[in-house]
Amino acid sequence: MARICKKCGGEVGANDLYCIHCGMPLEKEREEWKEENKQEERNLAEPLSVGAYLLVGILLLIPVVNIIVPIIWILNKNGNPNRRNLAKAWLILAVVGTVLTGILSFGLFQFFVMDHYVPYDYHFEYTFPGELIPDTQFLEDFPVELNEI
């Protein structure tokens, strides 16, 4: 694969560091070529095997490890991009699940607290089949005073 010198336009070899016609250093172009090859290698990463998925699944079941290990995988730029994407998805699901669990737990707590709350000045009306008994009559018929309990 031949390259072209930017200064003189002459053809040089793919591994040459200097132009053979004018002597201009070609290191910059070589670094760009290496970067392009690295990008192609990242795009052609080997997919995770079934055993790797099982190992990842087992690691993500361990309580503290399931947060630390995905962060390490995400920060490792030279690692498998498939594993990195899996770790990103796992952390997103963990955050969303934690937030939803917190909201639902708070809602259930409020439900149980408010379910047993009755204000002191709330009056009940007791009805029996066919008649309405005012709450004052019911309290007079109540056998034990409330302050004696």
Side-chain angles (χ1 to χ4, degrees):
M1 174 179 179
R3 295 186 297 170
I4 297 178
C5 176
K6 289 184 178 180
K7 185 175 180 184
C8 69
E11 288 190 26
V12 293
N15 295 327
D16 291 341
L17 298 177
Y18 297 96
C19 177
I20 58 173
H21 304 288
C22 67
M24 180 179 174
L26 300 173
E27 187 65 33
K28 199 174 209 181
E29 293 178 11
R30 188 172 181 177
E31 287 176 8
E32 292 173 3
W33 180 77
K34 284 181 181 178
E35 191 62 37
E36 289 175 6
N37 283 346
K38 284 183 183 178
Q39 187 64 27
E40 289 176 11
E41 288 175 8
R42 287 185 199 137
N43 293 339
L44 299 175
E46 186 175 319
L48 295 176
S49 65
V50 175
Y53 274 111
L54 288 174
L55 180 64
V56 168
I58 291 170
L59 281 174
L60 295 179
L61 290 175
I62 303 170
V64 176
V65 175
N66 64 359
I67 301 298
I68 297 171
V69 169
I71 291 173
I72 293 171
W73 286 341
I74 289 172
L75 296 177
N76 184 7
K77 298 296 180 187
N78 295 329
N80 191 330
N82 298 321
R83 187 175 61 203
R84 194 174 332 129
N85 290 336
L86 180 66
K88 288 177 188 177
W90 168 257
L91 284 180
I92 290 170
L93 284 176
V95 168
V96 169
T98 302
V99 169
L100 287 178
T101 302
I103 290 170
L104 291 175
S105 298
F106 180 75
L108 283 174
F109 175 75
Q110 290 298 319
F111 172 75
F112 286 119
V113 168
M114 296 303 290
D115 188 41
H116 299 294
Y117 173 72
V118 178
Y120 291 115
D121 60 346
Y122 190 82
H123 298 287
F124 294 97
E125 292 186 4
Y126 298 91
T127 58
F128 294 100
E131 63 181 61
L132 178 65
I133 300 175
D135 56 349
T136 55
Q137 181 181 353
F138 177 77
L139 290 176
E140 290 172 358
D141 295 339
F142 200 67
V144 178
E145 291 292 328
L146 293 177
N147 57 8
E148 293 178 0
I149 296 179

